[in-house]
Amino acid sequence: MAEQSPESGSRARPAVDVYAMLRARILDLQLPPDEKVNIDALAREFGVSQTPVREALSQLEGDNLIIKTPGKGYRTTQLLDMAELRELFEFRLMVEPWAAGVAALNRLSNPARMLQKSLSAFEAGTENATSVRHLLVAHDTHFHDSILSASSNQFALHAYRATHCHLHLFRLHRADDRGKQTVDEHRAIVNAIAACDTDAAEAAMRAHLIGAYHRFAEAFSQEGGGDLRVPPPAQLC
């Protein structure tokens, strides 16, 4: 039997972005980690055929938020564990301070103006927002991706994007809900890049990543992971 589309009736339903809706549910844990996804139920709920739901799940599989197992269907991926969190930030500490320094060194195509615009847009968008969680995810993703892009190193950029770090980190913990700490740290990075100060840009990015790590680590324990090789905040002074 051919699959019927809800749009085939006399009055078409408004288009919905199934990918965006499912992505938001996964980030908000409305679709819990390691949970089986019911395609038919989602199609009925969204008022669409199964096709856009399957297409959205395929996109989310590329984001590492969904995993497909032959014969078993789709499930949401598990959360990062403490070891994976540590390894992710160790990788970022190797790549991103370097990228911030390179961005500051590039006087002809310095990305500071674009980064400042992103900061301003985020702050403007949060003025009347009850929850800024999704705005913060979008801003943080764009901010860090822009700095990696400014390095003009495609290998580093692809390696960074392959982690999908922001999508996984923001499922862990609602740390810095209003984004104030993140914005303050981002502004320090922008100021250093705008001043073409390589050392300051690297130091500001390193401080930001270490601060972010410890905020997310609170989701696991008050001790911050015991044998972590990521320096504690006190060592930033």
Side-chain angles (χ1 to χ4, degrees), residues 63-118:
D63 293 338
N64 292 334
L65 291 176
I66 288 289
I67 185 170
K68 182 180 181 182
T69 303
K72 296 184 178 180
Y74 295 91
R75 300 184 73 86
T76 53
T77 55
Q78 296 181 357
L79 295 178
L80 296 176
D81 60 26
M82 194 66 221
E84 290 170 331
L85 179 72
R86 181 180 65 241
E87 290 171 359
L88 175 59
F89 271 90
E90 287 173 347
F91 166 76
R92 295 185 70 184
L93 280 165
M94 286 188 289
V95 174
E96 293 192 66
W98 163 82
V102 172
L105 189 63
N106 192 341
R107 294 178 180 272
L108 293 178
S109 56
N110 189 293
R113 183 176 298 180
M114 175 180 59
L115 296 172
Q116 181 58 59
K117 184 177 180 181
S118 175

Side-chain angles (χ1 to χ4, degrees), residues 132-164:
V132 303
R133 182 175 177 80
H134 290 283
L135 294 174
L136 184 58
V137 174
H139 162 68
D140 203 47
T141 302
H142 179 263
F143 185 88
H144 287 271
D145 191 272
S146 295
I147 292 175
L148 262 295
S149 297
S151 74
S152 299
N153 187 311
Q154 293 302 307
F155 286 99
L157 179 61
H158 291 325
Y160 171 78
R161 286 177 174 173
T163 68
H164 299 282

Side-chain angles (χ1 to χ4, degrees), residues 2-9 47-49:
E3 185 180 309
Q4 293 184 345
S5 170
E7 290 78 16
S8 61
V48 299
S49 69

